[in-house]
Amino acid sequence: MKILGISGSPRTELRSGSIKVVQKILENTGCEYELISLHGKNIGGCIGCMACAGDNVCKVNDDMKTMRDKIVEADAYVLSGVNYFNTLNAVMHSFMERWYQFRHREADILWGKLAVTVSLGGVDPAPPSEHLNTFCIMNMIKVVDNVQGIGAPGCSYCGYGETCKVGVHYFKYGPGVPVTEDTIPNVTKDDELMLAAEQAGKKLGEQLRSADYSREETTQEMMKIIAAMGEAMQGH
């Protein structure tokens, strides 16, 4: 069993809480894994050209090409996004949009696989989770756990965090409080978050290895969820 972890934060590894949380989850799965950061990656959103409809292979020429085989070959995923303007950040959204290439003509490339989703935010970590979970559902992937936590806001690094009256740091601490290592949120020092990540990793690994796990049965479970969503939409 191999798990693919995607840190959707565009930040460098030094400043990315996303990488650290995804790593914590992966290392607790007990499975082989690979972690990819989207920092520095050139990944555009789906352009709706439909050139992938015939063979389920995206024809857009960017860094997504180098990751397609890894996505296909993985048995499960850890997918992490961050809260930008109360939604999923752009590069992670683009990355997930490009999974449209797997959905044509009832292709079962990803059907019945498992995932853990991760969402971080400087104030509210919740909004990206809804988007990541929906992307998984639409690809017939079952989300077995969701991990949410507070990461460092951009105000911690911009150079004006102590005086900018519309920034998170100023809102939280008020005037005259310097930006220091103690005031910058650090996911590795958040015991509750790290414990949640550890438990999510163990849960993912255990479910993957379980004799009761079946991609076929999981696919049927996800189909029922999508059917219920369709019925709800028709009801409106």
Side-chain angles (χ1 to χ4, degrees):
M1 295 291 184
K2 184 171 182 178
I3 302 173
L4 178 64
I6 302 292
S7 171
S9 171
R11 289 181 176 174
T12 63
E13 182 173 354
L14 181 64
R15 290 184 176 176
S16 174
S18 172
I19 290 177
K20 297 174 179 66
V21 176
V22 173
Q23 177 69 37
K24 187 71 171 180
I25 295 169
L26 291 171
E27 66 189 19
N28 279 280
T29 61
C31 299
E32 180 186 357
Y33 66 81
E34 180 178 1
L35 193 164
I36 296 175
S37 169
L38 298 189
H39 164 70
K41 295 287 192 299
N42 174 30
I43 300 174
C46 175
I47 62 174
C49 67
M50 304 307 295
C52 58
D55 59 4
N56 293 289
V57 177
C58 180
K59 304 305 185 292
V60 176
N61 188 21
D62 61 13
D63 288 337
M64 191 68 182
K65 271 190 170 182
T66 67
M67 287 183 271
R68 185 187 185 280
D69 288 347
K70 297 177 186 294
I71 295 169
V72 172
E73 293 165 4
D75 299 292
Y77 309 97
V78 178
L79 304 169
S80 175
V82 292
N83 185 347
Y84 280 15
F85 287 94
N86 220 35
T87 189
L88 179 62
N89 65 295
V91 67
M92 188 58 178
H93 198 286
S94 294
F95 174 78
M96 296 306 304
E97 273 189 13
R98 299 281 290 284
W99 287 33
Y100 186 49
Q101 65 184 291
F102 303 119
R103 298 191 69 243
H104 306 294
R105 298 177 298 108
E106 299 181 86
D108 61 355
I109 299 168
L110 306 182
W111 290 8
K113 294 186 179 184
L114 306 179
V116 169
T117 56
V118 179
S119 182
L120 300 177
V123 177
D124 182 5
S129 291
E130 181 179 353
H131 296 280
L132 289 171
N133 292 347
T134 299
F135 277 121
C136 286
I137 290 171
M138 292 297 102
N139 284 286
M140 303 280 192
I141 295 168
K142 181 179 180 179
V143 177
V144 301
D145 209 343
N146 172 248
V147 178
Q148 299 182 16
I150 300 297
C155 308
S156 300
Y157 305 112
C158 73
Y160 302 93
E162 298 168 9
T163 57
C164 176
K165 295 181 180 179
V166 295
V168 174
H169 180 87
Y170 196 93
F171 279 144
K172 185 175 181 179
Y173 295 105
V177 177
V179 175
T180 66
E181 290 298 319
D182 292 330
T183 61
I184 298 175
N186 185 335
V187 296
T188 63
K189 296 179 181 179
D190 186 334
D191 293 339
E192 184 176 348
L193 173 57
M194 287 292 103
L195 178 60
E198 178 182 333
Q199 292 174 337
K202 290 179 179 178
K203 184 176 182 180
L204 179 59
E206 288 169 1
Q207 291 202 21
L208 268 179
R209 292 186 294 270
S210 172
D212 295 328
Y213 168 61
S214 159
R215 279 189 62 180
E216 292 75 17
E217 291 181 7
T218 303
T219 296
Q220 293 302 315
E221 180 183 347
M222 301 310 298
M223 283 183 170
K224 290 178 181 178
I225 292 173
I226 291 177
M229 292 170 63
E231 290 172 3
M233 290 174 64
Q234 291 174 8
H236 289 290

